[in-house]
Amino acid sequence: MDSRAGDTAQHAALRPHAEDAFADELRALAAADDRPRPERWRLSPWAVSMYLLGGVLPGGGTVITPKYVGPRRLVEVAVSTLATDRALLLLGVPGTAKTWVSEHLAAAVSGDSTLLVQGTAGTAEEAVRYGWNYAQLLAEGPSRAALVPSPVLRAMAEGRTARVEELTRIPADVQDSLITVLSEKTLPIPELGEEVQAVRGFNLIATANDRDRGVNELSSALRRRFNTVVLPLPETAEAEVDIVARRVDQLGRSLDLPAAADGTAEIRRVVTVFRELRDGVTADGRTRIKSPSGTLSTAEAISVVMGGMALAAHFGDGVLRAGDVAAGVLGAVVRDPSSDRVVWQEYLEAVVRERDGWKDFYRACREVSA
């Protein structure tokens, strides 16, 4: 494939990899970065941190957009962990940007975020270790040519960063196949009488949460192999509004949605609803309310607002209004119809109905809840 075809395919990608979407920022950082870099790192730890947190480069004035809005120290601990021989575990409730952070860390450190194992209940040991080309295996027997390396094995051999998403969804016996990799930095291949030793630059980032169903607890032996960084929910409503607004703007541009008027007011309203139901108390602390069964995460708020933006752009006047987000809010809150619907109705009548300036939101929510 020639370069023009490659550029076209990259431009057409629905969701470009981090190293492609932010290639200009990564190049600018690399050019300005004069600090020591660990072996095979594309950037120094300082530059990786700036890439995640955002800032303005000295001299040229290039603006680096924030990829993560949260405590600076957490990012610095995560980056410094990757500069050691300890693996990194990003832990947190769903929607705290664990996957987003892991992707951008891998992109900044290795220039490649695609060495990924997606954890599910059906993830087999071959996805973590290696598999075989069975046609070649049957024809020639075990050989290097017949071996199919996992993303982890490739990262070890190339000195790159591997990612394991949703580690706690992987069966426990498959999880533990990582113990030798993380402790001995080697992966035996007994069929060939060989082993693959990790070269300098290799490390692993895993993400996990303990809120969802289908979670397999990590063994203590495996957990000891990680440095754990807990990513919290946004501390303040304003911080969460900022995160949602930034991400919605990025997604809207990547999807070529028609330009819409500023939707900050409705974003703030969605975030307020989610935070109050999540915390079990209104923002002013005066009224206790019940919480639904869902997590009502920042990621879900982004999804609700994106759906509303699409409605406003294609079926409205381009202005994000209460009616555009009401159905999305209802779908996010009412996951269990038998219990969550009662929680939602009580919240509507006791809180939303009485709140100044929220009559349009109350009417829109009543309409879709009927």
Side-chain angles (χ1 to χ4, degrees):
M1 183 170 65
D2 65 31
S3 61
R4 288 175 298 173
D7 290 343
T8 300
Q10 179 178 314
H11 178 74
L14 183 61
R15 186 191 181 283
H17 299 303
E19 58 270 22
D20 297 325
F22 297 93
D24 290 342
E25 291 187 15
L26 289 168
R27 278 193 293 268
L29 274 165
D33 185 14
D34 59 358
R35 304 197 182 199
R37 306 180 189 184
E39 193 162 350
R40 293 188 176 84
W41 278 42
R42 297 293 185 91
L43 301 171
S44 69
W46 169 84
V48 173
S49 178
M50 174 173 275
Y51 172 72
L52 264 292
L53 294 167
V56 179
L57 290 177
T62 301
V63 176
I64 305 300
T65 58
K67 317 301 180 300
Y68 175 70
V69 179
R72 171 175 292 274
R73 198 59 175 172
L74 290 183
V75 172
E76 292 173 345
V77 169
V79 173
S80 61
T81 293
L82 294 176
T84 71
D85 65 346
R86 296 280 290 179
L88 173 65
L89 176 62
L90 298 175
L91 192 65
V93 299
T96 48
K98 300 182 297 296
T99 297
W100 182 251
V101 171
S102 78
E103 179 184 359
H104 283 284
L105 281 171
V109 170
S110 296
D112 184 0
S113 63
T114 65
L115 296 175
L116 169 68
V117 177
Q118 180 60 59
T120 69
T123 300
E125 191 170 320
E126 289 80 3
V128 175
R129 293 167 58 83
Y130 54 86
W132 297 97
N133 179 328
Y134 285 103
Q136 198 163 356
L137 182 67
L138 291 172
E140 304 173 3
S143 67
R144 273 284 186 165
L147 185 137
V148 179
S150 71
V152 175
L153 186 59
R154 286 181 55 201
M156 293 175 68
E158 298 170 11
R160 295 179 180 271
T161 304
R163 299 165 55 211
V164 179
E165 292 296 322
E166 302 289 357
L167 179 60
T168 49
R169 291 196 173 280
I170 298 176
D173 57 330
V174 179
Q175 290 178 13
D176 284 346
S177 64
L178 285 170
I179 291 177
T180 301
V181 171
L182 299 183
S183 60
E184 304 298 327
K185 301 298 186 289
T186 185
L187 201 161
I189 308 175
E191 296 91 341
L192 302 180
E194 299 178 11
E195 66 178 11
V196 173
Q197 291 186 310
V199 301
R200 289 182 179 273
F202 165 72
N203 214 324
L204 185 140
I205 306 171
T207 67
N209 76 75
D210 54 8
R211 281 283 189 92
D212 287 349
R213 296 174 183 174
V215 165
N216 301 300
E217 288 293 332
L218 302 182
S219 68
S220 58
L222 180 57
R223 189 178 281 271
R224 285 198 303 271
R225 269 66 184 182
F226 287 99
N227 275 357
T228 301
V229 171
V230 179
L231 297 184
L233 290 163
E235 187 173 345
T236 67
E238 286 306 313
E240 192 162 3
V241 168
D242 182 49
I243 293 168
V244 174
R246 287 176 184 274
R247 189 70 182 121
V248 165
D249 179 63
Q250 291 171 348
L251 289 170
R253 284 187 277 110
S254 70
L255 295 172
D256 292 329
L257 282 178
D262 179 43
T264 304
E266 291 306 325
I267 292 174
R268 183 171 285 106
R269 209 144 41 173
V270 171
V271 167
T272 298
V273 171
F274 276 31
R275 289 180 70 88
E276 289 181 336
L277 287 171
R278 198 164 65 209
D279 296 341
V281 63
T282 54
D284 58 13
R286 295 179 179 179
T287 306
R288 286 281 174 186
I289 52 181
K290 296 176 183 176
S291 295
S293 59
T295 56
L296 299 180
S297 66
T298 307
E300 290 170 294
I302 293 168
S303 178
V304 168
V305 175
M306 276 302 302
M309 294 288 282
L311 280 172
H314 294 299
F315 299 102
D317 59 2
V319 178
L320 187 65
R321 303 184 191 280
D324 300 316
V325 298
V329 170
L330 175 66
V333 174
V334 183
R335 297 295 178 84
D336 182 348
S338 61
S339 60
D340 292 343
R341 189 169 292 277
V342 174
V343 172
W344 176 237
Q345 292 295 343
E346 288 182 0
Y347 177 73
L348 271 183
E349 299 302 325
V351 178
V352 176
R353 184 180 182 181
E354 304 301 323
R355 185 165 279 163
D356 291 341
W358 282 48
K359 295 300 183 186
D360 58 336
F361 185 77
Y362 173 75
R363 287 193 297 268
C365 290
R366 287 284 297 174
E367 183 177 336
V368 298
S369 300

